[in-house]
């Protein structure tokens, strides 16, 4: 293996240093297998530490290349994958090593697996077969997100350098240009993404080329051009319903919502369960009228189709920053005015609650799932933590009451809902003046209605009744926000809740009892 300039490496790790020392001792003792194991672990901790690569070179010299010491049986450790990639490059086969680094980046995109000189050598881009590189880059794109997380961008840039060199060497290879555009888009190189996608679509017109071009235009904010490209993609393959969803989303971004909904309806006529279209259709319907029923229907679809081919974020995006759908409402909420309970929750119960407490969640079913760990906390302890100093004095962010009430949902789940102890406890908590505990208990009921269709009529009746009780008072807005998140409400109740939200809020009266926790966003 060629010597590596020290300036090329920046990452260090005490754990890697320890493993490196053990690898050096094993190598000196002739224990090559042990040395290989320690080197793989060191690479996993600090993939660009120069001493590790120098020792890997020594091992390769001692063991005839050392590839046999880093086998790729099913599910090998990531350090072994990376070590084998570097050894292949040292053996004059960098084109075989690059896909292994991509596999490592797919596991942990923020790690600097490719931050080594041989990856960015122009010779690699020139010698690697462009179709192979395109497939390798496409595999990488499927694992890193669009856009890539900010903390991953710098670690992934070496792969973009490989594509640049390959494009310079191989010219107008359509698949390479399209895959390179997809990677450039994910890394924030929007102009490059548009340029490469346009060149690829001109070089070899195709459905995939137009899709790549449409996505590149979308990232650049050039929505009319994106729409034109996606329409051309539909013309290539009218049976690909995923492109219909892309066209609909682009039309919606252009403000043409009615036309966007017609595209989803057209696709759903062909396949009512096509996941990309179902997600897009429910999102756009919610955008059109704000009725939470569309999001509940989407949550039901997700629950009934756990093996969808693609990962979707439509439900989370619709719920984000919306009171109760994606977290606690902004601004102060009525303080808890309940009498302290005498029971003392255990320290373990308090820790479990605080471990999951948060002021935000992706959507109500996700909040329900997050509270599952509280099945290990007894119901009486969850109730005790609603008003106990052991919780109030932690100084933790608001939301403790919400998670305690959500935790109650996971107890006695074998009991029919209408006769269940969890329902009875939560109904007891919503009585009296509206305060933080009341809101938390109402939200737990609303959340359960999201995850159990059989409970929806009952919960809708409870929420409607509570809203009717407070409709003319200063606490109406607090209940109305919860009502708008509840499944199954009749139209008059929804209209009452919406009208209450639109009316300027009356200053809330804080409860007379001691405040449990600050009610704020972090």
């Amino acid at each position: 293996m060629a010597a590596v300039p020290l300036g090329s490496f920046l990452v260090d790790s005490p754990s890697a240093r320890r493993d490196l020392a053990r690898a050096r001792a094993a190598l000196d003792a002739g224990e090559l297998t042990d040395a290989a194991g320690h080197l793989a672990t060191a690479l996993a901790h600090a993939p660009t530490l120069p001493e590790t690569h120098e020792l890997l070179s020594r091992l390769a010299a001692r063991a005839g290349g050392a590839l046999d010491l880093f086998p790729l049986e099913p599910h090998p450790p990531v350090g072994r994958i990376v070590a084998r990639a570097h050894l292949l490059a040292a053996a004059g086969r960098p084109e075989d090593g690059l896909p292994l680094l991509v596999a490592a980046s797919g596991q942990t995109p923020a790690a600097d697996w490719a931050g080594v000189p041989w990856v960015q050598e122009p010779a690699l881009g020139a010698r690697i077969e462009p179709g192979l590189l395109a497939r390798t880059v496409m595999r990488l794109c499927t694992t890193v997100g669009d856009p890539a997380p900010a903390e991953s961008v710098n670690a992934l840039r070496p792969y973009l350098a490989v594509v640049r060199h390959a494009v310079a060497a191989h010219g107008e290879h359509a698949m390479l240009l399209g895959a390179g555009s997809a990677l450039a888009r994910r890394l924030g190189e929007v102009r490059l993404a548009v340029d490469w996608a346009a060149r690829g679509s001109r070089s070899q017109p195709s459905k995939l080329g137009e899709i790549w071009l449409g996505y590149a235009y979308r990232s650049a904010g050039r929505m009319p051009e994106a729409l034109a490209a996606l329409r051309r993609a539909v013309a290539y393959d009218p049976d690909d319903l995923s492109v219909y969803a892309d066209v609909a989303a682009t039309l919606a971004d252009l403000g043409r919502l009615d036309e966007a909904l017609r595209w989803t309806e057209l696709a759903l006529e062909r396949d009512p369960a096509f996941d990309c279209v179902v997600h897009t259709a429910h999102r756009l319907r919610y955008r059109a009228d704000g009725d939470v029923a569309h999001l509940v229907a989407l949550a039901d679809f997700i629950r009934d189709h756990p093996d969808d081919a693609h990962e979707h974020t439509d439900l989370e995006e619709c719920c984000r920053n919306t009171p109760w759908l994606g977290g606690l409402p902004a601004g102060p909420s009525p303080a808890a005015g309940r009498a302290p309970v005498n029971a003392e929750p255990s320290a373990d119960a308090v820790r479990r609650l605080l471990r999951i407490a948060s002021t935000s969640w992706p959507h109500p079913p996700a909040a329900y799932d997050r509270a599952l760990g509280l099945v290990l906390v007894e119901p009486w302890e969850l109730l005790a933590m609603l008003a106990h100093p052991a919780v109030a004095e932690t100084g933790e962010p608001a939301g403790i009451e919400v998670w305690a009430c959500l935790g109650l949902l996971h107890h006695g789940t074998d009991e029919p809902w209408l006769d269940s102890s969890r329902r009875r406890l939560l109904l007891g908590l919503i009585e009296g003046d509206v305060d933080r505990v009341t809101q938390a208990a109402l939200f737990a009921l609303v959340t359960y209605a999201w995850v159990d269709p059989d409970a929806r009529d009952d919960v809708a009746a409870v929420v409607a009744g509570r809203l009717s009780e407070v409709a003319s008072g200063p606490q109406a807005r607090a209940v109305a926000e919860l009502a708008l998140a509840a499944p199954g409400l009749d139209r008059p109740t929804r209209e009452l809740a919406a009208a209450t939200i639109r009316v300027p809020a009356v200053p809330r009266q804080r409860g007379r009892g001691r405040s449990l926790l600050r009610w704020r966003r972090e």
Side-chain angles (χ1 to χ4, degrees), residues 43-47 77-79 81-82 100-115 140 143-145 148-149 151-156 159:
L43 277 169
H45 286 134
V78 67
I81 296 173
V82 174
L100 298 182
L101 291 188
V102 165
S105 293
Q107 293 184 34
T108 49
D112 194 15
W113 305 117
L140 178 63
T143 63
V144 301
E151 64 273 14
S152 303
V153 170
N154 286 337
L156 298 172
Y159 299 116

Side-chain angles (χ1 to χ4, degrees), residues 432-444:
D433 291 340
V434 176
D435 61 11
R436 293 206 304 258
V437 173
T438 303
Q439 291 176 282
L442 275 171
F443 176 65

Side-chain angles (χ1 to χ4, degrees), residues 16-74:
R17 295 283 182 187
R18 286 192 296 271
D19 285 301
L20 192 59
R22 293 166 182 160
R24 186 176 291 108
L27 184 59
D28 290 343
E31 299 169 352
L32 303 187
T33 300
D34 288 344
H38 291 305
L39 278 172
T41 305
L43 277 169
H45 286 134
T48 58
L49 193 65
E51 291 92 329
T52 307
H53 290 261
E54 291 165 2
L55 196 58
L56 192 60
S57 298
R58 287 180 53 196
L59 179 63
R62 289 275 300 274
L67 287 172
D68 291 343
L69 297 175
F70 299 93
L72 293 183
E73 73 273 6

Side-chain angles (χ1 to χ4, degrees), residues 22-23 66 100 103 128 186 191 214 288 306 312 357 407 410 423 507-508:
R22 293 166 182 160
L100 298 182
I128 192 169
R186 284 165 169 78
R191 290 184 179 179
H312 299 278
H410 293 283
R423 177 181 181 271
R508 292 171 173 170

